[in-house]
Amino acid sequence: EPEVTQTPSHQVTQMGQEVILRCVPISNHLYFYWYRQILGQKVEFLVSFYNNEISEKSEIFDDQFSVERPDGSNFTLKIRSTKLEDSAMYFCASGGPLHFGNGTRLTVT
Amino acid sequence: QKEVEQDPGPLSVPEGAIVSLNCTYSNSAFQYFMWYRQYSRKGPELLMYTYSSGNKEDGRFTAQVDKSSKYISLFIRDSQPSDSATYLCAMNMPGAGGTSYGKLTFGQGTILTVHP
């Protein structure tokens, strides 16, 4: 069964550094998403992406965040200058209904 | 009032029990309702997806939606230790854009343990 794959599974970075989280959505899906789950909290919508542009973003998705589909298969989330509060699981999803990847655990120290 | 409320549990049941998981919501604009299962350190896995009020069955799982009461349920029959996970309800209110189908609002999740 096709699946959404995310790399790396765990990323540790220092505050202020840039990170790029990578995702390969299911190949025939057209809609892509990033979600975040802070430890012990709800899964939260960050951004949706279609036809090479952002469709919708939440209040969390400020100027420090950006998304890109650099080629026909990858979908990335960049955090420009990480903060301690960015520590969370980041999930990529595609389709509708959504299929999620296993996430990248981001730890900002 | 939170948009989606879900009892976080934890819920512990013996193997073979019937499990009932519930969510309430406040926004009547929600139209599609989903249940996801999340194992530790994994992503949410879609279990059930439904639109209309009523019941939808898939194997041991039954999803129930009552839009008039703003209440959804997931029933698990003959529960197994492998069902031990966190169960998340999620819902959306599709608008004009296609990507709005994937803008989900999640509940807190209910931690379920099925012991042999």
Side-chain angles (χ1 to χ4, degrees):
Chain A
E1 185 175 325
E3 58 182 25
V4 177
T5 57
Q6 290 186 244
T7 55
S9 57
H10 190 193
Q11 174 88 49
V12 181
T13 189
Q14 289 191 325
M15 198 166 51
Q17 296 296 304
E18 174 183 288
V19 293
I20 298 176
L21 311 182
R22 302 180 191 278
C23 169
V24 178
I26 295 173
S27 61
N28 61 344
H29 286 179
L30 301 178
Y31 305 125
F32 313 113
Y33 307 81
W34 284 100
Y35 281 76
R36 180 180 82 174
Q37 186 176 30
I38 294 171
L39 187 65
Q41 297 187 24
K42 292 183 178 184
V43 178
E44 302 174 286
F45 168 80
L46 290 179
V47 66
S48 58
F49 190 87
Y50 169 70
N51 201 26
N52 281 321
E53 60 183 30
I54 290 173
S55 300
E56 196 168 356
K57 57 185 180 180
S58 70
E59 292 176 353
I60 304 166
F61 195 89
D62 61 23
D63 292 343
Q64 293 300 310
F65 291 88
S66 62
V67 289
E68 194 177 36
R69 187 155 164 83
D71 53 44
S73 59
N74 291 285
F75 180 49
T76 61
L77 174 69
K78 182 193 291 185
I79 309 175
R80 223 178 312 281
S81 178
T82 50
K83 302 188 277 284
L84 294 175
E85 55 264 38
D86 293 328
S87 295
M89 284 290 290
Y90 288 82
F91 294 108
C92 174
S94 68
L98 290 194
H99 295 266
F100 286 82
N102 282 327
T104 294
R105 179 178 300 278
L106 177 65
T107 302
V108 182
T109 61
Chain B
Q1 184 183 14
K2 293 180 183 176
E3 274 201 300
V4 180
E5 299 211 43
Q6 184 177 5
D7 185 343
L11 186 61
S12 180
V13 301
E15 184 175 355
I18 296 174
V19 176
S20 172
L21 304 165
N22 312 295
C23 284
T24 59
Y25 60 97
S26 58
N27 192 337
S28 58
F30 285 129
Q31 294 185 26
Y32 291 84
F33 304 91
M34 286 132 276
W35 286 94
Y36 283 86
R37 177 174 61 196
Q38 187 176 26
Y39 291 114
S40 180
R41 298 185 182 271
K42 297 288 188 182
E45 172 194 359
L46 181 66
L47 282 178
M48 301 286 283
Y49 174 76
T50 186
Y51 168 73
S52 56
S53 284
N55 293 353
K56 181 178 180 179
E57 193 172 312
D58 184 1
R60 296 185 295 111
F61 298 93
T62 300
Q64 192 173 77
V65 174
D66 183 346
K67 288 187 178 180
S68 62
S69 301
K70 299 191 186 69
Y71 187 88
I72 67 171
S73 299
L74 178 71
F75 298 95
I76 307 174
R77 288 184 300 281
D78 188 24
S79 55
Q80 303 295 310
S82 57
D83 295 328
S84 299
T86 298
Y87 288 80
L88 307 168
C89 65
M91 49 199 77
N92 65 5
M93 37 186 162
T99 53
S100 60
Y101 283 90
K103 185 188 175 187
L104 303 181
T105 301
F106 280 86
Q108 179 76 22
T110 300
I111 300 169
L112 172 67
T113 302
V114 181
H115 51 87

